Amino acid sequence: QVQLVESGGGLVQPGGPLRVSCAASGFTFSTYYMSWVRQAPGKGLEWVSGINTGGGTTYYADSVKGRFTISRDNAKNTLYLQMNSLKPEDTALYYCTRQSAGGWGSPFDYWGQGTQVTVSS
């Protein structure tokens, strides 16, 4: 069965870096677009970043552009999100999501359990 397992979250000071990862299994990872979505306390879901199957095309929300970098290692079935210059407003539960077959813009059909990122001094 499809599984997405995030890791790497934690407490980081404002301005600091953090990298979260998502280990995928149960499907052919290299053939699906993937995205990161976050949910801040008391707020709705916010799409953060997406990546195409080969990793050569990436997409970012304006709120993280220039600070976050999405990448993937298809040999390791792993998705990454490198977050730099973190701000308190980046505090959220970060979810790894798979986009259903059909490419960019397809709905998210599987979600991980999330990894908590807290930015605070």
Side-chain angles (χ1 to χ4, degrees):
Q1 70 279 20
V2 173
Q3 283 196 310
L4 300 170
V5 180
E6 301 94 336
S7 62
L11 174 64
V12 61
Q13 291 192 338
L18 192 68
R19 188 178 81 161
V20 293
S21 303
C22 171
S25 61
F27 66 103
T28 307
F29 178 71
S30 62
T31 65
Y32 286 86
Y33 281 62
M34 301 292 294
S35 278
W36 289 97
V37 176
R38 69 185 181 186
Q39 186 168 30
K43 297 191 176 180
L45 294 169
E46 177 190 19
W47 171 81
V48 174
S49 182
I51 190 167
N52 73 339
T53 54
T57 301
T58 56
Y59 311 84
Y60 297 96
D62 287 344
S63 58
V64 307
K65 200 172 294 182
R67 299 187 298 121
F68 290 11
T69 302
I70 190 172
S71 63
R72 65 192 298 162
D73 185 335
N74 286 341
K76 296 183 177 179
N77 292 341
T78 303
L79 179 72
Y80 303 100
L81 185 68
Q82 176 67 47
M83 302 179 285
N84 296 327
S85 302
L86 281 161
K87 305 174 181 180
E89 52 263 44
D90 294 317
T91 295
L93 190 61
Y94 284 73
Y95 295 98
C96 169
T97 68
R98 190 186 83 167
Q99 293 186 239
S100 60
W104 186 246
S106 299
F108 306 129
D109 58 358
Y110 284 93
W111 297 65
Q113 83 289 347
T115 186
Q116 179 66 41
V117 173
T118 302
V119 185
S120 175
S121 54

